[in-house]
Amino acid sequence: PGEFGFLLEGTVNKHRTTDMSMTWFGKDDISLDVGEEYIKKEVMTLLTDDTVQGLSVDRLSWSEMTRESGNFDGNLVRAWSGFLFEVNNTEEVWSKIITKLVSACVGNPYLIVDIELWGGAIADRNPKDTAFYYRDAVYNVGLSLLVPEDMKGADKIYRDTIAKVDKKWSHVKKHLEGVYTNYIVESLSDSEYANSYWGGNVRRLQQIKDQYDNRNVLHHPQSIPPAHPSA
């Protein structure tokens, strides 16, 4: 597949149980058949019989999946994420990461844990071939916060959750590198977001920016920064 991932959805209770959604992206029915078999035989068997309460399978088109997972309208949103590379893909590191993620999510129904398995076709290209640099990543690890805007006390819940997660995430972040540019992390400072998103390709992208948009007409808060801001 191009990508395989799972989400922990809903409140993590004191017994550390929650709903888990697994996603397999495939280009045709045959690859989706392979994905369904993989999830049933290779992933679900890692869980004990008394752990799994049930399994349902839905097949969505790319546009349906995007609407299903990417509609943040009406929510206060914040995200944290980063790539985990082979050097840190160990049981010891994962134990530390999972402990911090669980402790951040316990009792909070507005946080979603997102762990995506990368590699495959993503790693077939050289990091310098395109703007995307982190092609050797094994996983993308993230947390998303979605608090309904019209809920009573939404602003306070949003601020308090960010403060709590920021403390927990500092312990997770040290095992990760970079950020996927499609998963905007607003908390990145002006001095760090470019290297976080584009890594070793920042300078080359700035050269292209200077060549075609040296007045920085095309910009947003986390766009490619001009190499010469005064231009």
Side-chain angles (χ1 to χ4, degrees):
E3 190 174 308
F4 169 67
F6 67 87
L7 301 176
L8 298 180
E9 302 180 305
T11 305
V12 179
N13 62 35
K14 64 181 180 180
H15 300 295
R16 296 190 175 187
T17 61
T18 187
D19 294 332
M20 182 171 71
S21 298
M22 287 173 281
T23 306
W24 179 284
F25 295 99
K27 63 181 180 179
D28 51 34
D29 285 339
I30 294 177
S31 60
L32 292 178
D33 290 339
V34 172
E36 187 172 330
E37 282 299 301
Y38 178 83
I39 289 174
K40 289 179 177 178
K41 292 184 178 181
E42 303 295 335
V43 179
M44 298 306 294
T45 54
L46 298 175
L47 306 174
T48 59
D49 292 338
D50 60 348
T51 299
V52 182
Q53 302 299 315
L55 172 66
S56 62
V57 177
D58 296 311
R59 294 195 176 192
L60 304 175
S61 68
W62 179 259
S63 60
E64 289 171 335
M65 190 281 299
T66 301
R67 289 194 296 270
E68 181 81 12
S69 62
N71 185 9
F72 298 149
D73 292 345
N75 292 284
L76 301 172
V77 180
R78 180 61 67 95
W80 301 260
S81 68
F83 293 109
L84 186 135
F85 286 77
E86 186 64 40
V87 66
N88 284 325
N89 189 27
T90 67
E91 185 174 347
E92 179 183 2
V93 169
W94 272 113
S95 178
K96 294 177 180 178
I97 290 175
I98 295 300
T99 296
K100 292 300 179 182
L101 293 180
V102 169
S103 63
C105 294
V106 167
N108 191 321
Y110 311 109
L111 283 167
I112 300 173
V113 177
D114 182 10
I115 299 176
E116 300 172 350
L117 175 62
W118 283 50
I122 299 172
D124 288 346
R125 303 291 295 272
N126 187 288
K128 295 289 187 178
D129 284 349
T130 69
F132 179 62
Y133 183 71
Y134 303 102
R135 293 186 172 276
D136 294 329
V138 182
Y139 290 94
N140 186 73
V141 180
L143 265 177
S144 296
L145 172 64
L146 286 81
V147 180
E149 291 178 326
D150 58 358
M151 184 182 65
K152 183 179 180 180
D155 287 340
K156 186 177 188 306
I157 292 173
Y158 181 69
R159 291 193 304 270
D160 290 350
T161 302
I162 289 176
K164 178 181 179 180
V165 174
D166 279 345
K167 292 179 181 179
K168 304 290 184 180
W169 190 255
S170 65
H171 298 281
V172 175
K173 184 179 179 180
K174 65 184 180 182
H175 303 295
L176 310 177
E177 178 184 349
V179 175
Y180 187 29
T181 187
N182 281 10
Y183 301 159
I184 297 298
V185 177
E186 294 182 1
S187 60
L188 293 173
S189 69
D190 289 347
S191 63
E192 65 179 341
Y193 79 81
N195 284 324
S196 295
Y197 289 139
W198 299 291
N201 288 332
V202 171
R203 179 56 187 154
R204 183 164 57 93
L205 291 169
Q206 286 180 313
Q207 290 172 344
I208 297 172
K209 174 81 171 178
D210 285 350
Q211 182 177 355
Y212 294 100
D213 183 25
N214 62 3
R215 294 184 181 274
N216 198 27
V217 174
L218 304 176
H219 69 275
H220 59 78
Q222 291 189 343
S223 57
I224 300 291
H228 308 289
S230 60

